[in-house]
Amino acid sequence: MSSGKQQPELVVPRSVAVIMDGNGRWAKKAGLERIRGHERGIDAVRTTVTECARLGVEALVLYAFSEENWQRPQREIDLLFRLLKRFLVEERHTLMKNRVRLLHSGRRERLSKDILQVLDESIAATAGNDGMQLSLAISYGGRQEIVDAVRVLAARVQRGELTPAAIDEATIHAHLYHPQLPDPDLLIRTAGERRISNFLLWQVSYAEIYVSDVCWPDFRAEHLLAAFVDYGQRVRKFGKVL
Ligand code: IPE
Ligand code: IPE
Ligand code: MG
């Protein structure tokens, strides 16, 4: 470049997590029912999955339904899960085409039999893919994930397989839902909210946080790329002096 002015560099994070927020606000602004926002959010999911896979992201975790979201009106919950089911069936070919391996993060207990069935079918159908790992966080809570890990560890201690002194960070990590997923380098939240909302509490300890003001149904490839450019400007120190 003749001016000598450097373009900010786009850096693709190894691992990305997204709090897909603002569907309700998007719908309200458009004078529509909240569920229309969730419906339109599917386009943003498809775009984000496809772009991340294309750019070489290794792991993507999308927050689709939190443990706390069970407190929403039953009608919204029912419609959300109907959409999720449709997504899991209709987007299977997108996952296959992009060699994406699907995973589920969260508790299975409260999920209906038919959701579990399509979820498990999609997980099985994509299990042989060698591309990006995509985990859908459904009925997921960060605290609950830690509680679930602690329960398994306590049982192992009780059986005499493990001593309390032998429990370290690696032991806890190994008992999370998907220990093979790298911790997120970049956590994106849409719709302007600056909070974690119980997402991946253990894993985000050194994630870079990027908040986009765009509501999730309006989130496009350009917004994802803007997040990656911003990520490229971050100085990651991990507590050290550089
Ligand atoms: C995110 O959008 C989707 C879910 C939490 C399932 P919201 O439904 O939270 O949208 P807002 O925050 O009300 O705008
Ligand atoms: C977080 O969004 C959960 C998901 C995106 C699935 P919420 O909209 O539920 O979070 P709060 O209530 O604003 O913290
Ligand atoms: Mg919200």
Side-chain angles (χ1 to χ4, degrees), residues 216-232:
W216 180 249
D218 285 333
F219 196 77
R220 300 279 173 274
E222 70 197 83
H223 304 113
L224 183 75
L225 296 180
F228 288 3
V229 168
D230 196 82
Y231 172 75

Side-chain angles (χ1 to χ4, degrees), residues 169-217:
E169 287 177 27
T171 325
I172 294 179
H173 178 95
H175 289 80
L176 298 176
Y177 294 140
H178 294 297
Q180 81 279 21
L181 294 180
D183 288 347
D185 296 301
L186 177 65
L187 172 68
I188 299 173
R189 182 164 188 152
T190 58
E193 234 68 70
R194 287 159 170 78
R195 55 175 169 264
I196 302 288
S197 300
N198 202 17
F199 192 36
L200 302 175
L201 296 182
W202 178 275
Q203 297 88 333
V204 297
S205 62
Y206 267 100
E208 296 297 327
I209 299 176
Y210 179 86
V211 176
S212 166
D213 285 331
V214 169
C215 284
W216 180 249

Side-chain angles (χ1 to χ4, degrees), residues 85-139:
K85 196 172 154 189
R86 210 170 77 195
F87 169 84
L88 286 166
V89 175
E90 289 178 4
E91 299 301 324
R92 223 170 261 165
H93 71 279
T94 311
L95 302 182
M96 295 308 289
K97 203 171 82 191
N98 290 283
R99 309 196 335 268
V100 171
R101 205 170 345 150
L102 185 73
L103 303 165
H104 168 233
S105 294
R107 286 184 173 167
R108 292 171 64 92
E109 288 81 351
R110 295 178 80 172
L111 298 178
S112 69
K113 270 205 186 106
D114 57 333
I115 283 289
L116 285 173
Q117 193 186 330
V118 281
L119 190 56
D120 289 341
E121 279 169 9
S122 289
I123 290 170
T126 62
N129 289 346
D130 60 358
M132 182 178 80
Q133 300 192 76
L134 165 67
S135 182
L136 290 182
I138 305 166
S139 198

Side-chain angles (χ1 to χ4, degrees), residues 20-26 34 38 64-65 69 72 76 80:
M20 310 182 289
D21 198 18
N23 293 352
R25 275 163 281 174
W26 180 92
R34 289 179 58 82
H38 298 313
F65 192 86
N69 289 151
R72 291 192 177 195
E76 179 169 342
L80 259 170

